[in-house]
Amino acid sequence: MKTIIEPFKIKSVEPIRFTTKEERTEILKEAGYNPFLIHGDDVIIDLLTDSGTSAMSAKQWAGIMDGDESYAGSRSFYRFEKAVKEITGDKIIIPTHQGRAAEKILFTILGGKGKVIPNNTHFDTTRANVEFSGAEAVDLLCEVGKHPEQRADFKGNMDIEKLDKFIQETGVENIPVVMITITNNSGGGQPVSMQNIRDTKEICKKYGLPLFIDACRFSENAYFIKKREPGYENKTIKEICQEIFSYADGSTMSAKKDALVNIGGWLSVNDEELATQFRNLLIVTEGFPTYGGLAGRDLEAIAQGLEEIMEESYLQYRIRSTEYLGEKIVAAGVPIIEPPGGHAIYIDAKRFLPSVPPHQFPGQAIACELYIEGGVRGVEIGSVMFGKYDKAGKPVAPSMELVRLAIPRRVYTQSHIDYVAEVIIEVFKNREKLSGYEFTYAAPILRHFTARFKPVD
Ligand code: F0G
């Protein structure tokens, strides 16, 4: 088989500013050893997130010029609405400025004290919006999804038996909605199978509950279904996407992922009564229902992005390039969540750096060293992000210590990815020299964004 090449040519480029290892050592120290506090210009390869970091196509940029900025009834809204309806089949499409804005509206209406919302795994902002409403967020991930070293095709799946039991025990009246996140970001960017979505729907039907999809990476998920699930090999990506959404009563979406834009999102729903409540809140928080916190040009770019995201040559390149990075570093012995997910590689920091205990943040140590070694920026997902303390003030670690390297869409070429692999492997070879970190400042909530650290002696 020949090399899978980038299915695009480059028309417009952005320079990368190169720095030396000495400079980066100083920059990182200045930033309190927190990659979030480094200026973007001081990063060589930025793998902090795949969200809002996509490169738009020439057609999307043309759409930006062509956007209709009418306050009400913008032509661009109708193009956006048509594009989203074609995929989701939902009756009402409400634009929002990003994913969490859709979540905020959904859970303000459906959440509240005493309510419980299950998901395969809630993403942080979804959990935060559920909890902010006073409700409780519960993760019901399948067992294999909790073991980084075990390979399986659909490690993002909902645990169907647990969901059934959970609904019986919690009481249908306390569950306003069931969510399923595709792909499962917090669970390693792992896909959910069509069978699992169908089974989740069956359970929802049995109890008369609505199912909403957190659809951020729906097209990547569809590609995994096509490649891994019997019966889907000859279907088009669009057909698979349509089937996925056919099981749902609505969706929340961050267009910053699988719509290939830098800002945007939606909340879609079939129920007219719910839609009225959503829209009323939208007008207060986001804007009129035909723009919802976005410019007309943004809606135009999303509509175009949704066509491009389902192109198979794009998805083949996208998923292969993530897998390629995973394969290269695994071959050198680097432990990761296996198999590689759709949008990111997750280094297993516990196995990478067993000498550094969780309370000294092994993931942070690796993220810092990747920056110093090669100017590569990733993010710790472990004790810094999710660590808690017991009553005696002793640290309680989350189950996994990870470093996520998320790959922006259409931004980096194969040689960039080769370079990233070289940097990771170099850090891995010298892992014995790495030490842990401790806080010099930590905010009471979402501390990973602003925390400052110093190396442990
Ligand atoms: N749901 C999932 C599964 C996500 O990954 C994200 C964002 C959101 C919802 C919220 O969307 O950022 O547009 O408000 N994930 C980004 C990330 C931030 O880096 O994984 P948003």
Side-chain angles (χ1 to χ4, degrees):
M1 192 159 137
K2 296 199 179 67
T3 303
I4 294 166
I5 60 171
E6 288 81 4
F8 47 80
K9 298 183 285 181
I10 297 168
K11 179 174 287 196
S12 181
V13 298
E14 257 185 291
I16 290 175
R17 193 177 84 82
F18 292 109
T19 45
T20 63
K21 216 167 156 172
E22 289 68 38
E23 284 168 330
R24 290 192 294 272
T25 306
E26 206 41 49
I27 289 166
L28 188 66
K29 194 174 163 198
E30 283 285 304
Y33 299 95
N34 184 350
F36 273 107
L37 302 179
I38 298 171
H39 292 208
D41 279 351
D42 293 333
V43 175
I44 294 178
I45 306 282
D46 205 346
L47 307 183
L48 191 64
T49 179
D50 64 320
S51 180
T53 51
S54 298
M56 292 210 292
S57 67
K59 277 195 177 163
Q60 284 179 294
W61 283 110
I64 291 278
M65 274 311 291
D66 198 34
D68 173 11
E69 302 305 338
S70 301
Y71 189 97
S74 152
R75 166 177 28 87
S76 302
F77 168 74
Y78 293 110
R79 185 178 171 204
F80 159 85
E81 185 189 42
K82 185 165 175 274
V84 180
K85 271 190 179 174
E86 195 161 326
I87 300 166
T88 64
D90 287 341
K91 287 201 196 106
I92 297 121
I93 314 297
I94 298 170
T96 60
H97 81 271
Q98 62 182 87
R100 70 196 71 181
E103 293 163 359
K104 168 80 180 152
I105 292 171
L106 179 67
F107 299 120
T108 302
I109 302 298
L110 291 181
K113 210 161 179 278
K115 303 278 190 239
V116 194
I117 291 142
N119 200 330
N120 47 349
T121 313
H122 288 274
F123 179 66
D124 332 359
T125 60
T126 324
R127 172 173 286 279
N129 274 297
V130 168
E131 290 172 354
F132 190 74
S133 81
E136 194 189 331
V138 173
D139 294 337
L140 299 173
L141 181 65
C142 65
E143 188 53 38
V144 68
K146 297 174 193 165
H147 302 278
E149 69 294 348
Q150 286 178 21
R151 290 181 75 94
D153 284 344
F154 293 102
K155 287 176 80 174
N157 280 355
M158 178 86 84
D159 187 324
I160 298 295
E161 264 176 46
K162 267 201 191 148
L163 176 66
D164 195 355
K165 218 167 133 220
F166 169 82
I167 297 173
Q168 285 181 28
E169 285 170 5
T170 312
V172 182
E173 65 284 5
N174 299 316
I175 304 170
V177 59
V178 174
M179 299 280 302
I180 194 158
T181 304
I182 61 170
T183 56
N184 189 339
N185 183 9
S186 308
Q190 299 292 322
V192 177
S193 71
M194 191 71 89
Q195 186 61 49
N196 192 253
I197 299 172
R198 211 180 289 127
D199 291 346
T200 304
K201 175 66 185 177
E202 280 306 308
I203 299 282
C204 289
K205 236 170 137 180
K206 180 168 142 191
Y207 295 102
L209 291 174
L211 174 65
F212 270 61
I213 295 182
D214 177 341
C216 294
R217 299 175 180 86
F218 71 93
S219 192
E220 290 174 6
N221 201 95
Y223 186 75
F224 281 115
I225 289 176
K226 183 171 169 109
K227 290 289 151 186
R228 296 181 181 174
E229 194 162 347
Y232 289 93
E233 49 282 78
N234 297 321
K235 296 220 174 213
T236 65
I237 295 297
K238 194 184 209 168
E239 284 166 344
I240 297 173
C241 293
Q242 286 168 333
E243 184 179 338
I244 290 174
F245 285 101
S246 75
Y247 301 120
D249 302 280
S251 66
T252 57
M253 172 74 182
S254 170
K256 299 171 77 171
K257 284 86 171 173
D258 271 2
L260 292 165
V261 293
N262 308 117
I263 197 74
W266 73 67
L267 173 59
S268 73
V269 62
N270 273 321
D271 185 301
E272 306 266 0
E273 234 172 82
L274 263 184
T276 305
Q277 294 183 58
F278 292 162
R279 280 202 185 112
N280 287 341
L281 189 54
L282 181 87
I283 292 173
V284 181
T285 58
E286 292 282 288
F288 190 75
T290 61
Y291 74 83
L294 294 167
R297 55 176 170 267
D298 299 323
L299 295 166
E300 199 73 43
I302 294 172
Q304 179 61 34
L306 287 174
E307 278 179 36
E308 295 170 14
I309 200 75
M310 292 185 292
E311 280 166 14
E312 221 162 286
S313 59
Y314 160 76
L315 285 165
Q316 182 189 35
Y317 139 80
R318 167 74 177 156
I319 302 301
R320 177 60 196 150
S321 102
T322 306
E323 182 185 56
Y324 173 81
L325 174 58
E327 277 173 7
K328 271 205 144 178
I329 62 175
V330 165
V334 178
I336 64 167
I337 292 190
E338 299 239 38
H343 69 296
I345 292 295
Y346 295 69
I347 294 175
D348 184 349
K350 258 191 209 169
R351 284 186 290 152
F352 189 115
L353 214 54
S355 58
V356 175
H359 72 272
Q360 290 181 359
F361 312 130
Q364 193 71 15
I366 296 167
C368 284
E369 202 56 26
L370 291 175
Y371 178 72
I372 291 176
E373 179 61 38
V376 174
R377 174 157 72 170
V379 62
E380 191 263 10
I381 302 185
S383 281
V384 175
M385 201 180 267
F386 296 124
K388 296 208 163 93
Y389 298 92
D390 67 12
K391 281 195 187 114
K394 256 185 73 187
V396 181
S399 63
M400 292 197 259
E401 301 288 339
L402 305 170
V403 179
R404 186 184 78 170
L405 302 167
I407 305 178
R409 293 170 182 75
R410 303 193 294 209
V411 170
Y412 294 118
T413 63
Q414 185 168 346
S415 56
H416 289 122
I417 298 292
D418 282 332
Y419 171 83
V420 171
E422 286 163 17
V423 171
I424 298 169
I425 292 166
E426 192 60 28
V427 170
F428 185 63
K429 278 189 196 147
N430 296 316
R431 63 192 178 281
E432 245 112 74
K433 293 186 203 137
L434 298 191
S435 65
Y437 283 82
E438 60 188 86
F439 283 124
T440 58
Y441 166 73
I445 46 165
L446 295 174
R447 62 188 187 182
H448 54 285
F449 290 121
T450 54
R452 299 184 74 86
F453 303 84
K454 67 171 189 190
V456 175
D457 291 334

